Amino acid sequence: MKFYRRNSLLIGLIGALIFALISFHSESYAFAAEVAQEHEEILPNYKVERLSGKNRFETMLQIALKFNSGRAQNVILTTGYDFPDAIAAVPLAKQKNAPILLVDRTPEKSKEAFAYLQEHVNKKGNVYILGGTAVIPETFVTKLAEMGFSRENIHRVAGSNRYETSVKIAELMEHDGNEFYIASGDSFADALSASVVAATTNTVTAEKSAYLKSLGKTVEPASGGVPILLVPSKQPIPESVLEYINKADKDPLSKQSIHIIGGSAAVPDSSLIQLRQRVINLDKNGIHRIAGTNRYDTMKQVNSLEGIFDASYMNNGMGPVIPNIYLASGENFPDALTGAVLAAKEVAPLVLINESMPKETCELLSAFYNKNQKGLIKDTKIIVLGATGVISNQAVVNVDYLFNYGGSLAEKPKVTTVAGSGGLGYGDGAALESKFSFPWGIVEGTDKTLYISDSANHVIRALTPDGKVTTFAGKIQGKDPYGLSIGGFKDGALSEALFNQPKGLAIDKTGSIFVADSGNGAIRVIETNGQVRTVISGLESPTDLVVAPDGSLYVSETMNHRILKVLVDGTMTVLAGGGYEMVDGSPQGAYADGVREKAQFNEPTGLALGNDGTLYVADTGNQRIRAITPEGKVTTIAGSGKDLLAGTTYIMGGYRNGAAEKALFNFPSGIAIGSDGAIYVADTYNHRIRVIRPNGQVETFAGNGHHGKQNGYLRQAEFDGPTGIYVSQSGNLLIVDQFGNLIRAVNVK
């Protein structure tokens, strides 16, 4: 690479191999860190945001600031120690565009709430205080008046009990009185699950309105919002609730319907009988119980209601249907209460969770994945309500997986180590006890034996299905003064052949293995008769190669910045690349799309061949993934950037997911194509495996960005300079972790 030439004095001092394999490694870390520093704290996924503080009041403040960092016109105050009033108020808060603030027992202890009131609420706006003076004392009103709020605009919303208070809250809402949600006032989980859905019922977003109008449908404006009325679990429905339902009916010609949230233990069947007897305009089929076997199942049923978070109407490029998913504890409610209003504002689901990952929550998240048609809804973020003591990072990791990949946690792909102990060296034997020295490429034989180019040991290793590593071709002929193996060049029998920094591998339909013997500038073949033969020589650092169905080879000639095609008879042509400038006698890479020699590359490395004959290239120095048609036309399919890394001709690397044309890579090397057409990229100095989806989006498939050897769930795992990558017969993605000296695997089916 250009590093080799740019640092020729250093090479002369310590040896070309040491520099190439050690100094290059450490220096690359430096510039990799330079371009990716801002991302190194991301865990486990850049699409996760946690809203939290040291306690429920600090968390509430973070949620309120996200709700409205400017000046709110309305705000709701409720106690931070009991929750029925706040739950009933979520639809009202959505309608009034009002954050819900939790307060402590005195104004002096409620510093977070009053800090928000001082800085982010219009003094001419409305303050709604939920509950009587026994819950929120009159001293709060006095404090608000002292701050400049008009007493006329301070409204206490309170009944003689929580059930009557829910009626008083409902009376402040604008609605037609034809639809209601009823939930237990004794246990809060069911009502909490329903609060967002009740608040967003009949909501027509601008995006939905535009879509429906495009279909020629009349769209009536709707602010949305249906009251939540609380009832006892073991007593009859209070008269105040029944009277309100009858009084609220503004359209006698339209029958009323009532949604009961929770099973009979929460809202008894006797209450349903009472409603049928006492509600005058109730439709004969107007009572619907939405209930599961537990609070998480009920939450699942509520969030699965047709038309609420149904993605079907938005899959025509209209943008995300589910902008965010809010995660809240199903065991402890204050964070969920204040967060529910934020979720309702965004018409986003509120998902209850605990550390045991209830199967119902898992099923709901997988259902969202399926509704969103496997990644079409690309901008969804997971918002976590509460600190790690409430919802752990591991729980978030699990949610992230289910929403982005579907399936079940039992099927969750994990990164595993299949060979290598992690130590730099040379050693055959049991797979996990073996040693490699900067391995680079990998292929699989028909018998599922894996072949690995052990670059700094200058040999080809084999990993057999029974878990044994052996030296397949080449031999170590000694060590240099720095303790590194010495390469060579020799054809012949497997055990006598010599290689020099072998990298890319490819296998043809006969089982012959082709080797990009980079240090020798040659393409070699290990034939099925046990002989090593040179196919072509005189190249400048060939790095990777693939075999076409007709037996011809495509080769990345890295230091000549071009892609070659070698026919079966040995004829070699330039498929694409060239037109470079000579500097100090060496060709310099550049960037340009185009046809054949008019296209320009900058140290291309990894290659992969699509079923349609398109050749995909990891254009390493340009930080891009390129495509070459069989006719030689070159286009860029992913990656961007134009600024040069200081002192080099490399494009500055970086890390960014999203639209392929805006994505950033950091010296990508190996690439492979999955069965679904997804292109997997070993993003070497981001220490990640990235994926380019068929829909044109770039995602992080595996790796958290920290270099290391940790296995685990895809985005939890660590890599250390991954290079070679290969999709096996069984659907495993095989990854060569170059600087970790490991062979890793993950199932991508």
Side-chain angles (χ1 to χ4, degrees), residues 388-405:
T388 54
V390 178
I391 299 175
S392 70
N393 281 333
Q394 182 58 56
V396 178
V397 166
N398 289 331
V399 170
D400 172 77
Y401 165 73
L402 290 166
F403 184 72
N404 285 291
Y405 295 95

PDB file of all heavy atoms in Angstrom, residues 388-405:
ATOM      1  N   THR A 388     -29.952   2.545  33.529  1.00  0.00           N
ATOM      2  CA  THR A 388     -29.642   1.128  33.377  1.00  0.00           C
ATOM      3  C   THR A 388     -30.177   0.288  34.525  1.00  0.00           C
ATOM      4  O   THR A 388     -30.367  -0.908  34.380  1.00  0.00           O
ATOM      5  CB  THR A 388     -28.119   0.916  33.258  1.00  0.00           C
ATOM      6  OG1 THR A 388     -27.461   1.544  34.368  1.00  0.00           O
ATOM      7  CG2 THR A 388     -27.590   1.532  31.965  1.00  0.00           C
ATOM      8  N   GLY A 389     -30.407   0.914  35.691  1.00  0.00           N
ATOM      9  CA  GLY A 389     -31.015   0.183  36.796  1.00  0.00           C
ATOM     10  C   GLY A 389     -32.471  -0.154  36.555  1.00  0.00           C
ATOM     11  O   GLY A 389     -33.038  -1.037  37.198  1.00  0.00           O
ATOM     12  N   VAL A 390     -33.093   0.563  35.618  1.00  0.00           N
ATOM     13  CA  VAL A 390     -34.488   0.326  35.248  1.00  0.00           C
ATOM     14  C   VAL A 390     -34.568  -0.584  34.029  1.00  0.00           C
ATOM     15  O   VAL A 390     -35.304  -1.569  34.018  1.00  0.00           O
ATOM     16  CB  VAL A 390     -35.208   1.662  34.975  1.00  0.00           C
ATOM     17  CG1 VAL A 390     -36.655   1.423  34.538  1.00  0.00           C
ATOM     18  CG2 VAL A 390     -35.169   2.560  36.206  1.00  0.00           C
ATOM     19  N   ILE A 391     -33.817  -0.257  32.998  1.00  0.00           N
ATOM     20  CA  ILE A 391     -33.731  -1.061  31.774  1.00  0.00           C
ATOM     21  C   ILE A 391     -32.256  -1.189  31.425  1.00  0.00           C
ATOM     22  O   ILE A 391     -31.605  -0.202  31.092  1.00  0.00           O
ATOM     23  CB  ILE A 391     -34.509  -0.418  30.610  1.00  0.00           C
ATOM     24  CG1 ILE A 391     -35.992  -0.291  30.961  1.00  0.00           C
ATOM     25  CG2 ILE A 391     -34.345  -1.246  29.337  1.00  0.00           C
ATOM     26  CD1 ILE A 391     -36.805   0.433  29.906  1.00  0.00           C
ATOM     27  N   SER A 392     -31.719  -2.382  31.514  1.00  0.00           N
ATOM     28  CA  SER A 392     -30.288  -2.609  31.328  1.00  0.00           C
ATOM     29  C   SER A 392     -29.889  -2.481  29.864  1.00  0.00           C
ATOM     30  O   SER A 392     -30.731  -2.564  28.961  1.00  0.00           O
ATOM     31  CB  SER A 392     -29.890  -3.992  31.842  1.00  0.00           C
ATOM     32  OG  SER A 392     -30.417  -5.006  31.000  1.00  0.00           O
ATOM     33  N   ASN A 393     -28.596  -2.307  29.633  1.00  0.00           N
ATOM     34  CA  ASN A 393     -28.078  -2.282  28.268  1.00  0.00           C
ATOM     35  C   ASN A 393     -28.344  -3.600  27.549  1.00  0.00           C
ATOM     36  O   ASN A 393     -28.610  -3.622  26.348  1.00  0.00           O
ATOM     37  CB  ASN A 393     -26.577  -1.984  28.271  1.00  0.00           C
ATOM     38  CG  ASN A 393     -26.265  -0.512  28.455  1.00  0.00           C
ATOM     39  OD1 ASN A 393     -27.069   0.347  28.107  1.00  0.00           O
ATOM     40  ND2 ASN A 393     -25.103  -0.207  28.991  1.00  0.00           N
ATOM     41  N   GLN A 394     -28.278  -4.706  28.280  1.00  0.00           N
ATOM     42  CA  GLN A 394     -28.525  -6.003  27.653  1.00  0.00           C
ATOM     43  C   GLN A 394     -29.954  -6.104  27.151  1.00  0.00           C
ATOM     44  O   GLN A 394     -30.207  -6.638  26.069  1.00  0.00           O
ATOM     45  CB  GLN A 394     -28.238  -7.140  28.634  1.00  0.00           C
ATOM     46  CG  GLN A 394     -28.413  -8.540  28.041  1.00  0.00           C
ATOM     47  CD  GLN A 394     -27.540  -8.774  26.828  1.00  0.00           C
ATOM     48  OE1 GLN A 394     -26.314  -8.630  26.894  1.00  0.00           O
ATOM     49  NE2 GLN A 394     -28.146  -9.120  25.698  1.00  0.00           N
ATOM     50  N   ALA A 395     -30.899  -5.580  27.931  1.00  0.00           N
ATOM     51  CA  ALA A 395     -32.289  -5.595  27.479  1.00  0.00           C
ATOM     52  C   ALA A 395     -32.445  -4.763  26.213  1.00  0.00           C
ATOM     53  O   ALA A 395     -33.171  -5.145  25.287  1.00  0.00           O
ATOM     54  CB  ALA A 395     -33.206  -5.063  28.585  1.00  0.00           C
ATOM     55  N   VAL A 396     -31.756  -3.633  26.147  1.00  0.00           N
ATOM     56  CA  VAL A 396     -31.810  -2.784  24.961  1.00  0.00           C
ATOM     57  C   VAL A 396     -31.203  -3.505  23.757  1.00  0.00           C
ATOM     58  O   VAL A 396     -31.721  -3.431  22.638  1.00  0.00           O
ATOM     59  CB  VAL A 396     -31.102  -1.445  25.211  1.00  0.00           C
ATOM     60  CG1 VAL A 396     -31.128  -0.586  23.953  1.00  0.00           C
ATOM     61  CG2 VAL A 396     -31.754  -0.699  26.364  1.00  0.00           C
ATOM     62  N   VAL A 397     -30.102  -4.199  23.988  1.00  0.00           N
ATOM     63  CA  VAL A 397     -29.479  -4.982  22.932  1.00  0.00           C
ATOM     64  C   VAL A 397     -30.467  -6.000  22.367  1.00  0.00           C
ATOM     65  O   VAL A 397     -30.588  -6.184  21.153  1.00  0.00           O
ATOM     66  CB  VAL A 397     -28.215  -5.686  23.461  1.00  0.00           C
ATOM     67  CG1 VAL A 397     -27.742  -6.758  22.491  1.00  0.00           C
ATOM     68  CG2 VAL A 397     -27.096  -4.678  23.676  1.00  0.00           C
ATOM     69  N   ASN A 398     -31.197  -6.666  23.251  1.00  0.00           N
ATOM     70  CA  ASN A 398     -32.182  -7.651  22.810  1.00  0.00           C
ATOM     71  C   ASN A 398     -33.295  -6.998  21.992  1.00  0.00           C
ATOM     72  O   ASN A 398     -33.724  -7.530  20.962  1.00  0.00           O
ATOM     73  CB  ASN A 398     -32.769  -8.376  24.013  1.00  0.00           C
ATOM     74  CG  ASN A 398     -31.786  -9.324  24.668  1.00  0.00           C
ATOM     75  OD1 ASN A 398     -30.888  -9.870  24.017  1.00  0.00           O
ATOM     76  ND2 ASN A 398     -31.916  -9.536  25.968  1.00  0.00           N
ATOM     77  N   VAL A 399     -33.764  -5.849  22.447  1.00  0.00           N
ATOM     78  CA  VAL A 399     -34.814  -5.134  21.726  1.00  0.00           C
ATOM     79  C   VAL A 399     -34.309  -4.690  20.363  1.00  0.00           C
ATOM     80  O   VAL A 399     -35.002  -4.819  19.349  1.00  0.00           O
ATOM     81  CB  VAL A 399     -35.302  -3.928  22.548  1.00  0.00           C
ATOM     82  CG1 VAL A 399     -36.223  -3.036  21.705  1.00  0.00           C
ATOM     83  CG2 VAL A 399     -36.020  -4.402  23.797  1.00  0.00           C
ATOM     84  N   ASP A 400     -33.107  -4.159  20.344  1.00  0.00           N
ATOM     85  CA  ASP A 400     -32.496  -3.733  19.091  1.00  0.00           C
ATOM     86  C   ASP A 400     -32.462  -4.875  18.086  1.00  0.00           C
ATOM     87  O   ASP A 400     -32.796  -4.707  16.905  1.00  0.00           O
ATOM     88  CB  ASP A 400     -31.083  -3.214  19.358  1.00  0.00           C
ATOM     89  CG  ASP A 400     -30.309  -2.928  18.090  1.00  0.00           C
ATOM     90  OD1 ASP A 400     -30.566  -1.911  17.470  1.00  0.00           O
ATOM     91  OD2 ASP A 400     -29.459  -3.745  17.721  1.00  0.00           O
ATOM     92  N   TYR A 401     -32.079  -6.040  18.531  1.00  0.00           N
ATOM     93  CA  TYR A 401     -32.032  -7.193  17.635  1.00  0.00           C
ATOM     94  C   TYR A 401     -33.417  -7.535  17.101  1.00  0.00           C
ATOM     95  O   TYR A 401     -33.616  -7.697  15.892  1.00  0.00           O
ATOM     96  CB  TYR A 401     -31.439  -8.411  18.341  1.00  0.00           C
ATOM     97  CG  TYR A 401     -31.723  -9.672  17.577  1.00  0.00           C
ATOM     98  CD1 TYR A 401     -31.072  -9.947  16.399  1.00  0.00           C
ATOM     99  CD2 TYR A 401     -32.708 -10.554  18.002  1.00  0.00           C
ATOM    100  CE1 TYR A 401     -31.382 -11.070  15.660  1.00  0.00           C
ATOM    101  CE2 TYR A 401     -33.014 -11.685  17.268  1.00  0.00           C
ATOM    102  CZ  TYR A 401     -32.343 -11.943  16.100  1.00  0.00           C
ATOM    103  OH  TYR A 401     -32.658 -13.049  15.358  1.00  0.00           O
ATOM    104  N   LEU A 402     -34.404  -7.636  17.991  1.00  0.00           N
ATOM    105  CA  LEU A 402     -35.732  -8.071  17.582  1.00  0.00           C
ATOM    106  C   LEU A 402     -36.366  -7.083  16.610  1.00  0.00           C
ATOM    107  O   LEU A 402     -37.009  -7.479  15.628  1.00  0.00           O
ATOM    108  CB  LEU A 402     -36.625  -8.244  18.810  1.00  0.00           C
ATOM    109  CG  LEU A 402     -36.276  -9.427  19.705  1.00  0.00           C
ATOM    110  CD1 LEU A 402     -36.984  -9.316  21.041  1.00  0.00           C
ATOM    111  CD2 LEU A 402     -36.612 -10.740  19.033  1.00  0.00           C
ATOM    112  N   PHE A 403     -36.197  -5.780  16.855  1.00  0.00           N
ATOM    113  CA  PHE A 403     -36.810  -4.798  15.984  1.00  0.00           C
ATOM    114  C   PHE A 403     -36.128  -4.736  14.625  1.00  0.00           C
ATOM    115  O   PHE A 403     -36.761  -4.491  13.606  1.00  0.00           O
ATOM    116  CB  PHE A 403     -36.812  -3.415  16.632  1.00  0.00           C
ATOM    117  CG  PHE A 403     -37.524  -2.391  15.786  1.00  0.00           C
ATOM    118  CD1 PHE A 403     -38.903  -2.413  15.669  1.00  0.00           C
ATOM    119  CD2 PHE A 403     -36.826  -1.430  15.096  1.00  0.00           C
ATOM    120  CE1 PHE A 403     -39.560  -1.493  14.859  1.00  0.00           C
ATOM    121  CE2 PHE A 403     -37.478  -0.506  14.299  1.00  0.00           C
ATOM    122  CZ  PHE A 403     -38.849  -0.541  14.189  1.00  0.00           C
ATOM    123  N   ASN A 404     -34.820  -4.962  14.593  1.00  0.00           N
ATOM    124  CA  ASN A 404     -34.075  -4.838  13.337  1.00  0.00           C
ATOM    125  C   ASN A 404     -33.943  -6.143  12.561  1.00  0.00           C
ATOM    126  O   ASN A 404     -33.619  -6.121  11.372  1.00  0.00           O
ATOM    127  CB  ASN A 404     -32.691  -4.256  13.604  1.00  0.00           C
ATOM    128  CG  ASN A 404     -32.753  -2.770  13.893  1.00  0.00           C
ATOM    129  OD1 ASN A 404     -33.047  -1.969  13.030  1.00  0.00           O
ATOM    130  ND2 ASN A 404     -32.504  -2.390  15.141  1.00  0.00           N
ATOM    131  N   TYR A 405     -34.177  -7.277  13.239  1.00  0.00           N
ATOM    132  CA  TYR A 405     -33.982  -8.555  12.565  1.00  0.00           C
ATOM    133  C   TYR A 405     -35.170  -9.499  12.695  1.00  0.00           C
ATOM    134  O   TYR A 405     -35.271 -10.475  11.954  1.00  0.00           O
ATOM    135  CB  TYR A 405     -32.714  -9.253  13.089  1.00  0.00           C
ATOM    136  CG  TYR A 405     -31.462  -8.498  12.756  1.00  0.00           C
ATOM    137  CD1 TYR A 405     -30.899  -7.614  13.656  1.00  0.00           C
ATOM    138  CD2 TYR A 405     -30.856  -8.624  11.515  1.00  0.00           C
ATOM    139  CE1 TYR A 405     -29.763  -6.892  13.352  1.00  0.00           C
ATOM    140  CE2 TYR A 405     -29.712  -7.919  11.195  1.00  0.00           C
ATOM    141  CZ  TYR A 405     -29.177  -7.047  12.118  1.00  0.00           C
ATOM    142  OH  TYR A 405     -28.058  -6.327  11.801  1.00  0.00           O
TER     143      TYR A 405
END
